[in-house]
Amino acid sequence: MKEIQRIKYLHKMIDCANTPDIKVVTGVRRCGKSILINHYIQYVKENEPNTNIVFINLQDLDNDELRSHKNLHDYIVARYIKDVRNLVLIDEVQLCDKFEWAINSLHSKRMFDLYITGSNAFLLSNDLATLFTGRTMKIDVMPFSYKEYVEFHDLNNLGHNFNDYILHGGLSGSYLYAKDNEKYTYIRNVYNTIITRDLVQKYKIRNLADLQSISNYMLDNISNLLSINNISDSIGSAGGNITNKTVNKYIDYLENAFLYYKVMRYDLRGKKHLKSINKYYASDIGFRYAVLGKKNMDFGRVYENVVYLELLRRGYDIYVGKLYKKEIDFVALKQNEKVYIQVSDNISDSKTLERELSALRAIKDAYPKILIANTKHEDYDIEGIQVYDLESWLLR
């Protein structure tokens, strides 16, 4: 399988070298965590040749004996070399019984630079503080961005290929398949594994149908404002019977598995966060079409999801803005930077354009205001509001 170097993530791993933390590489299934580990090993070999590298892939049957925490621990300690950097990388760490005992013991010795990755069923972000006695540092890996998609495929005909990315998303394992139905089968299998194996196994969920219904409803409503009541009422009207408490709990599980990201609303006038109603974005847009089909394309909401993921990759904290009765799709914050962003499909219609601009015009401060749409044109300016073509913005 073809690979590309994901420089941003590689640099994160390089930057946290030799820190006393347990480095945990996280992200949704099949987003490229194991490949990133391999690229990091190659980097260390080329740039730090004196480093003692201990790499263990617990999926490899050659390492079957290391699936005992005591054996794993003793194997690594036996390979310690004094007066050099001892880099330990364990892939699929959850396959070792009581792996946290081995990791905590190794960390307490202060002899090793520890990196681990594994199934999200066992390395959910909320569990890290419970599992490990030492401080952890997360390296969050996401599916391919559009820019990475273009690099992977060596593309020139961007317009056509942009539509392909929108329909299939960033799980690069699906790129090996030529036909749409094969791509979607791969993506759907990833999704179903998270739902039916990772989460059911982790949380001992008895009512799989409710979990699937909630997740499918969220997929169908990406970029919409949702409340717990919305979801429970919808499932109830379809013949289900589920409490708000269970809905809230299952949504937390889905977020922990990196299937969805929650974005809170922020009242720009009152300068406060608003609770109870949030937006949810899928961690990869390919999930939507693979699971629900193409009966409801709704590109406007899908584009909003794509922009959200890109802002996340670029390091922004993101909120949905509320100003009186108007909604601003994104208030993006990074240190002293603030940007207001509206996202739309087609703004060639004057009413649509005016609706998107009016929300931004209502904001009276001097921070940048941007409208991102599928314009297929160069950047331009309307009354100080920058208008960007979506595909071009994603490639910056």
Side-chain angles (χ1 to χ4, degrees):
M1 177 178 172
K2 180 179 176 181
E3 297 176 1
I4 61 171
Q5 272 212 343
R6 307 185 74 184
I7 300 299
K8 184 186 79 169
Y9 300 118
L10 185 59
H11 283 172
K12 284 185 178 180
M13 297 189 74
I14 294 167
D15 290 344
C16 62
N18 293 311
T19 63
D21 315 291
I22 301 166
K23 274 72 74 174
V24 184
V25 182
T26 63
V28 70
R29 268 188 177 271
R30 301 300 178 191
C31 68
K33 299 185 290 290
S34 296
I35 292 173
L36 177 64
I37 289 285
N38 291 334
H39 286 177
Y40 181 56
I41 290 171
Q42 189 59 40
Y43 170 87
V44 173
K45 286 180 177 178
E46 292 173 359
N47 294 275
E48 304 171 25
N50 293 326
T51 297
N52 175 36
I53 301 174
V54 181
F55 171 62
I56 302 165
N57 179 0
L58 289 175
Q59 273 193 323
D60 190 335
L61 281 176
D62 290 342
N63 295 321
D64 190 48
E65 291 185 357
L66 302 183
R67 294 184 178 186
S68 151
H69 69 277
K70 185 68 167 63
N71 290 350
L72 178 65
H73 173 272
D74 292 349
Y75 176 90
I76 292 170
V77 170
R79 279 150 184 78
Y80 174 78
I81 299 175
K82 191 176 181 181
D83 297 329
V84 300
R85 180 190 179 199
N86 286 267
L87 173 62
V88 175
L89 307 107
I90 308 172
D91 197 11
E92 300 297 343
V93 70
Q94 82 283 350
L95 295 176
C96 172
D97 181 45
K98 299 177 181 176
F99 65 88
E100 66 274 19
W101 291 20
I103 299 302
N104 286 332
S105 179
L106 292 168
H107 180 261
S108 69
K109 296 180 189 304
R110 301 186 181 182
M111 296 159 55
F112 303 100
D113 196 5
L114 291 167
Y115 290 76
I116 63 172
T117 185
S119 166
N120 293 321
F122 296 90
L123 291 177
L124 301 176
S125 56
N126 287 358
D127 294 338
L128 295 180
T130 304
L131 284 172
F132 303 121
T133 54
R135 183 176 181 270
T136 57
M137 179 181 291
K138 287 200 305 170
I139 299 168
D140 294 326
V141 181
M142 299 174 69
F144 274 20
S145 66
Y146 180 55
K147 193 171 185 178
E148 289 172 319
Y149 173 88
V150 168
E151 180 185 350
F152 182 91
H153 289 288
D154 298 318
L155 297 177
N156 294 312
N157 182 11
L158 296 183
H160 169 76
N161 293 296
F162 177 64
N163 292 332
D164 188 72
Y165 175 77
I166 290 297
L167 291 174
H168 299 115
L171 293 179
S172 59
S174 69
Y175 303 162
L176 298 176
Y177 301 95
K179 296 180 179 178
D180 262 16
N181 65 320
E182 293 171 340
K183 291 177 187 288
Y184 284 139
T185 296
Y186 174 90
I187 297 167
R188 193 161 49 248
N189 285 342
V190 174
Y191 175 87
N192 287 335
T193 298
I194 295 169
I195 298 287
T196 63
R197 194 167 79 190
D198 286 356
L199 293 179
V200 168
Q201 179 181 354
K202 169 70 179 179
Y203 295 110
K204 298 178 174 55
I205 294 170
R206 294 180 180 178
N207 195 331
L208 174 59
D210 281 348
L211 180 63
Q212 290 173 321
S213 295
I214 291 168
S215 186
N216 290 354
Y217 184 85
M218 292 170 70
L219 268 186
D220 199 30
N221 286 277
I222 56 170
S223 309
N224 282 342
L225 289 169
L226 291 179
S227 70
I228 302 301
N229 284 335
N230 287 150
I231 299 171
S232 58
D233 289 349
S234 175
I235 293 173
S237 66
N241 182 18
I242 190 169
T243 66
N244 286 6
K245 182 179 178 181
T246 300
V247 171
N248 194 49
K249 181 172 63 176
Y250 282 5
I251 289 175
D252 283 345
Y253 296 166
L254 292 163
E255 287 183 73
N256 287 341
F258 299 96
L259 261 181
Y260 300 98
Y261 295 101
K262 178 170 72 175
V263 180
M264 296 177 65
R265 291 190 303 157
Y266 184 76
D267 186 337
L268 298 176
R269 184 168 179 265
K271 299 188 183 304
K272 62 182 180 181
H273 295 103
L274 302 172
K275 298 181 179 179
S276 75
I277 299 178
N278 305 293
K279 284 191 177 186
Y280 294 88
Y281 297 96
S283 59
D284 188 73
I285 50 171
F287 289 136
R288 177 182 167 90
Y289 295 126
V291 175
L292 303 181
K294 298 180 181 178
K295 66 181 185 297
N296 181 14
M297 302 301 284
D298 206 342
F299 286 119
R301 290 197 286 122
V302 171
Y303 292 161
E304 185 178 323
N305 200 134
V306 171
V307 170
Y308 169 77
L309 294 176
E310 186 59 28
L311 291 169
L312 203 60
R313 289 186 186 97
R314 296 181 186 184
Y316 287 95
D317 294 321
I318 308 155
Y319 301 94
V320 175
K322 180 181 180 296
L323 186 59
Y324 302 105
K325 294 185 178 181
K326 296 186 182 296
E327 179 186 302
I328 294 84
D329 289 335
F330 299 120
V331 181
L333 308 171
K334 184 162 57 174
Q335 297 175 342
N336 294 325
E337 181 183 356
K338 181 190 288 186
V339 186
Y340 301 107
I341 298 173
Q342 289 289 89
V343 182
S344 185
D345 176 7
N346 185 350
I347 55 172
S348 59
D349 177 75
S350 59
K351 289 184 179 178
T352 303
L353 177 61
E354 178 56 31
R355 183 186 70 235
E356 303 295 351
L357 292 175
S358 65
L360 294 172
R361 288 195 196 106
I363 305 168
K364 300 306 180 183
D365 65 36
Y367 289 105
K369 301 169 183 66
I370 298 171
L371 171 56
I372 301 174
N374 198 19
T375 69
K376 307 298 183 188
H377 297 300
E378 297 293 322
D379 300 347
Y380 60 98
D381 178 290
I382 301 178
E383 302 172 25
I385 297 170
Q386 296 297 310
V387 182
Y388 295 151
D389 174 60
L390 172 59
E391 182 179 11
S392 299
W393 180 79
L394 290 170
L395 291 172
R396 295 182 185 190

